[in-house]
Amino acid sequence: MGFEKFGQVGYISQTKVAPLISYLQKGVVAGTRCKNDGKFYFPPRADCLDCRKSDMEWVPIESRARLVTFTQVFFGPPAFEQSTPYTLGLAEFENGLRVFAPISKDLDRDELKPEMELVLRPRHVGEGVFYQLEKP
Ligand SMILES: [Zn+2]
């Protein structure tokens, strides 16, 4: 299983972080953690930016996040062009990790406020899968 299932239009066939797709298909959003120094990455990385080692483990993201800010996207990257316009949020998790992700269209734009609680969940669209911020 490769990255061709990421988003709605495939563009990368294989990478070292392809397990992300398998996790998303099972309903789990997961990142990678360096076994050497505990640094956590999402989107997942195969190599640690800090110590340069490649000894990583997959860790599900289960905690809630707080919305930091958001914006409306009218011209998206190829994999998300069909979804425009959509809202892109920046959310911060309890461990300080900050993630950019689309915000669910189920959330009304007027409901969005900084500091509101959100969760990161997989979303299936057609043959593809990606992740988005949703109401807990
Ligand atoms: Zn490291």
Side-chain angles (χ1 to χ4, degrees), residues 2 11 22 59 75 81 89 92 97 104 106 120 124 131 135:
Y11 49 98
S22 305
V59 180
F75 302 96
E81 190 59 50
E92 185 172 304
L97 174 78
S104 167
D106 296 341
L120 198 58
H124 294 263
Y131 49 83
K135 273 185 197 174

Side-chain angles (χ1 to χ4, degrees), residues 6-9 71-88 101-105 123-126 128-132:
F6 189 70
Q8 295 172 44
V9 180
T71 188
Q72 196 86 9
V73 176
F74 293 95
F75 302 96
F80 299 95
E81 190 59 50
Q82 290 168 307
S83 304
T84 57
Y86 61 90
T87 308
L88 185 68
I103 295 176
S104 167
K105 290 188 192 253
R123 168 142 193 252
H124 294 263
V125 176
V129 64
F130 60 102
Y131 49 83
Q132 68 180 11

Side-chain angles (χ1 to χ4, degrees), residues 48-61:
C48 181
L49 288 178
D50 245 29
C51 68
R52 310 278 174 189
K53 294 195 172 155
S54 303
D55 195 12
M56 308 294 269
E57 61 183 346
W58 286 86
V59 180
I61 298 176

Side-chain angles (χ1 to χ4, degrees), residues 4 11-12 42 44 50 62 64 67 72 79 85 96 109 112 133:
E4 70 276 2
Y11 49 98
I12 304 170
F42 188 86
D50 245 29
E62 285 156 338
R64 292 185 176 189
L67 185 62
Q72 196 86 9
R109 207 175 158 198
L112 297 176
L133 291 162

